Structures are given as structure tokens and as C-alpha cells.
Amino acid sequence: MANLRQFRSAISGVPIIVGVMILLSSFGDIRQSYRASDWAVTDGRFLSEQLENGLSQSRRKSRNGTILSYLYEVNGVTYVNSKVGFGISKVNEKIWSGTLVNVYFDENNPSDAVLVVGIGLEHIVSLGSGAGFIFIGIVLWKRVML
């Protein structure tokens, strides 16, 4: 019986560990997104490329099967990027191919760029998810210990 209680106690710790990992990741994304709001801004042009076999999976794919990417220029060098934001995977408004967008880029590393900065809904949801996992783990742990 004692072994079963120890096992249940250990299992109840899993949601707590998952919740802490989600919270740490969320705080890291929020910190990076906040810092990116101080980056230099340049005009970029949104591109929409068809998804084909063999393309990198690191690019952001929208629901309709297109790859979200944008083109921008810094000091005469042209860059193509697909990162929307830190912890943010989609742009809230519809953007068509050729549309001008603000691109926030790191002046020390211009290839590091994003379209969305600051705290977004995805960050809040992520924080809530992490807190929810921790709460569930604590409730499970208390039930095991009673």
C-alpha cells in the first residue's frame, strides 16, 4: 500500500513539472518579445509561397497550406524570414502577398527578425496553461496524501 501511495505521489508530480516547464518557456518568450519591441524597424514585404514537398518544416504554415514568410532589407542585404514572434505563431490580421509589413530586427544580427512584438494572447494562454497544470498536480497530490 505504501508503494502505491509513493507511485501515485510521483505521478501527481508530472503535471507540476509540465506546468513549470510551460511557465519557464512562456516567461522566456515574453522576455524576448518585450526586448524585440526595442529592436530597429524596417519595411518588409509579405510573401506567400505554396507549400511543396521537401520545404523546411521550420517555416510557419498557415491553415490553408501556404508558408508565411516576409522579405526585408537591412544595409543593402536582403533577408527572408518566417518567424512571426516569440511564442506567437500567427498574425492576427489577414495579410496578402506583397503587403508591406513592419519588421522588427536585431541590429546585431539582422537575420533575427519578427513581425509581432510585445505580450500577446498566446502568451497569456500559455501562462494560464502552465498555471493550470500546476494546479491539477497540486490537487492530485493532495488527494493522494489524504
Side-chain angles (χ1 to χ4, degrees), residues 8-140:
R8 287 182 179 171
S9 179
I11 292 298
S12 67
V14 171
I16 294 172
I17 292 169
V18 169
V20 168
M21 290 173 35
I22 291 171
L23 284 177
L24 289 174
S25 175
S26 299
F27 284 127
D29 287 339
I30 289 169
R31 190 175 122 253
Q32 287 179 304
S33 190
Y34 182 74
R35 285 185 177 172
S37 64
D38 291 332
W39 285 357
V41 181
T42 188
D43 288 333
R45 188 166 302 281
F46 179 74
L47 305 172
S48 179
E49 305 169 17
Q50 285 300 103
L51 179 64
E52 297 177 13
N53 291 334
L55 287 176
S56 171
Q57 293 299 317
S58 66
R59 293 188 171 188
R60 305 286 184 222
K61 186 174 76 166
S62 69
R63 291 184 188 151
N64 63 2
T66 58
I67 297 171
L68 304 179
S69 60
Y70 49 93
L71 177 83
Y72 61 100
E73 188 176 311
V74 177
N75 298 327
V77 179
T78 301
Y79 297 92
V80 176
N81 203 328
S82 61
K83 184 184 284 187
V84 175
F86 295 102
I88 300 173
S89 59
K90 64 182 179 179
V91 179
N92 291 332
E93 62 272 354
K94 289 189 177 192
I95 299 178
W96 304 104
S97 183
T99 301
L100 289 177
V101 292
N102 285 331
V103 178
Y104 297 83
F105 68 94
D106 184 355
E107 291 178 287
N108 297 322
N109 182 13
S111 64
D112 193 10
V114 293
L115 296 177
V116 180
V117 296
I119 298 175
L121 179 62
E122 289 90 343
H123 297 125
I124 305 301
V125 169
S126 185
L127 289 172
S129 298
F133 271 100
I134 292 171
F135 177 76
I136 289 169
I138 291 170
V139 168
L140 290 174

